[in-house]
Amino acid sequence: MFKIKTYNAISVKGLNRFSREKYEVASDIGSPDAYILRSHKLQGEPLPESVKAVARAGAGTNNVPVEEYTKKGVVVFNSPGANANAVKELVLAGMLLGSRGIVSGMQYVNGLTHMTDADEMSKLLEKEKSNFAGMEVQGKTLGIVGLGAIGSLIADAALALGMNVVGFDPALSVEAAWRLPNQVGRMENLQSLLARSDYITLHVPAIPATKHLINADTLKVCKKGAVLLNFAREAIVDSHAVVDSLNAGHLGKYICDFPEPILLNRADVLAMPHIGASTEEAEENCAIMAADQLVDYLENGNIKNSVNFPAVSMDRNPGNGARITFSNENVSGVLGHVLSALADHKVNVIDMVNKSRGDVAYNIIDVELAPVAAVIEALAKVEHVIAVRVI
């Protein structure tokens, strides 16, 4: 029986993916085979040797020490796209709120508590409504930085609103390119996108290469009066540079999901309390995806949507005796030594697959008969092998 340790409140629909016959699931459990979590920070916590995988019910994995876990052969999964619609809807809401005097107008109305006459209030609002005028998004240009699951959904919605859409993504995958509407203009670089966009929305991961992607220099390239939206990650934007640009009257508005003290109580900033994926549907979708990925890995050794290991999948043949999986440092000769060790112990290999990603490689080998302990010990002793499992 596999043991799953939970952190945070994981959707019941996700937890129900772990069958009671094969899994024990609890927040307080000894020697877990895997973790499933949302925002709990694992940095600094001891990692039991029993842990084989961690699944994050969400897209980001900043709360997981990925590099440390990779060296121990622990596969880290995320749930890309599961919360994409929730984020898309909030981005659209932010863009529309930033286009009209909706928030300021509502605040003004709610401040009229001294008034008791409805006709008098109506006349006052008719007089004051010009202070809350805005502009329509139809015909304006939306620049999308990052054209993955969320970016492509926003592109679709923006086109439906009658907007012109341009996008930039230096790491655009083939799968993402197929999802992208053909009306989206592809920009060759970030500067070109910023220079022509009335609205700019960010949808890239928080990695060293994207830290302060939007900074004092890139903001100077933006159209005067442009609206910047950040519902991706806090670290992508230099908030001090944003405030300087707002104060200078260059950037029009900043709308984000990551409040900071420097951003508070400004009429040109709309800061939301990190609610991009906070919908019932998104939490369910993320939990289901995370759980399904753990099940497939623990029961079959397959890897999908890992942030530190390659995507590897091989169908199970019920007639095969067992499946061996192992991870290793991505250097030449390791697989050959493993196959030699299997041959030395007269283990017949039926099928196999090998993939690498950066400094690590992962292998699935189906064998005719379940190997004895001595075989697994021999494989574990092969130089550069990190972890070995028998399923």
Side-chain angles (χ1 to χ4, degrees), residues 38-39 56-63 78-79 83 87 150 201-207 210-214 229-239 254-260 274 276-277:
R38 290 172 61 199
S39 58
R56 159 86 162 93
T61 53
N62 292 354
N63 55 323
N78 67 345
S79 310
N83 60 10
V87 177
I150 298 172
T201 184
L202 309 173
H203 301 287
V204 293
I207 57 177
T210 61
K211 181 176 174 60
H212 287 179
L213 181 71
I214 302 300
L229 301 106
N230 179 17
F231 289 81
R233 282 292 180 267
E234 182 179 0
I236 297 168
V237 172
D238 181 348
S239 57
Y254 181 48
I255 303 168
C256 71
D257 207 17
F258 312 100
E260 297 180 56
H274 202 183

Side-chain angles (χ1 to χ4, degrees), residues 16-292:
N16 285 342
R17 310 294 279 198
F18 300 111
S19 69
R20 294 181 180 180
E21 294 76 19
K22 295 182 179 180
Y23 294 88
E24 182 181 351
V25 183
S27 59
D28 185 13
I29 196 168
S31 301
D33 293 285
Y35 294 158
I36 184 169
L37 73 161
R38 290 172 61 199
S39 58
H40 178 82
K41 291 187 177 181
L42 293 172
Q43 284 88 349
E45 293 191 4
L47 180 71
E49 291 185 5
S50 60
V51 174
K52 305 168 184 66
V54 174
R56 159 86 162 93
T61 53
N62 292 354
N63 55 323
V64 182
V66 176
E67 185 175 350
E68 174 191 337
Y69 285 12
T70 304
K71 294 176 181 178
K72 297 180 179 180
V74 176
V75 181
V76 180
F77 296 95
N78 67 345
S79 310
N83 60 10
N85 188 70
V87 177
K88 175 206 77 174
E89 291 185 2
L90 193 62
V91 170
L92 293 176
M95 184 169 63
L96 294 171
L97 289 172
S99 302
R100 309 283 291 271
I102 298 171
V103 174
S104 57
M106 292 172 67
Q107 290 173 340
Y108 175 77
V109 169
N110 285 325
L112 301 178
T113 54
H114 62 283
M115 301 189 73
T116 57
D117 187 292
D119 290 336
E120 182 184 354
M121 180 178 288
S122 178
K123 291 176 182 178
L124 176 64
L125 294 178
E126 189 65 27
K127 176 183 176 183
E128 297 293 333
K129 69 179 183 181
S130 61
N131 294 322
F132 310 106
M135 59 184 181
E136 299 178 14
V137 298
Q138 184 177 9
K140 305 300 188 302
T141 297
L142 173 65
I144 304 174
V145 182
L147 297 168
I150 298 172
S152 61
L153 287 178
I154 292 171
D156 270 327
L159 290 168
L161 289 171
M163 301 185 77
N164 304 310
V165 181
V166 295
F168 170 67
D169 191 335
L172 185 65
S173 67
V174 174
E175 182 182 354
W178 277 107
R179 285 196 305 262
L180 200 63
N182 58 16
Q183 300 99 315
V184 177
R186 289 282 303 279
M187 296 290 98
E188 294 300 321
N189 53 60
L190 176 63
Q191 287 71 19
S192 297
L193 179 143
L194 297 177
R196 63 180 296 177
S197 300
D198 302 295
Y199 300 84
I200 304 147
T201 184
L202 309 173
H203 301 287
V204 293
I207 57 177
T210 61
K211 181 176 174 60
H212 287 179
L213 181 71
I214 302 300
N215 52 52
D217 291 332
T218 51
L219 285 168
K220 290 176 184 176
V221 182
C222 292
K223 256 186 172 183
K224 183 177 174 60
V227 176
L228 175 65
L229 301 106
N230 179 17
F231 289 81
R233 282 292 180 267
E234 182 179 0
I236 297 168
V237 172
D238 181 348
S239 57
H240 290 274
V242 164
V243 169
D244 288 343
S245 184
L246 290 169
N247 289 340
H250 188 73
L251 189 65
K253 284 185 180 176
Y254 181 48
I255 303 168
C256 71
D257 207 17
F258 312 100
E260 297 180 56
I262 195 174
L263 301 173
L264 302 184
N265 296 315
R266 294 187 61 105
D268 49 12
V269 173
L270 296 179
M272 303 178 193
H274 202 183
I275 55 174
S278 295
T279 67
E280 182 178 340
E281 295 87 348
E283 291 180 6
E284 289 176 354
N285 292 340
C286 287
I288 289 170
M289 181 181 288
D292 286 350

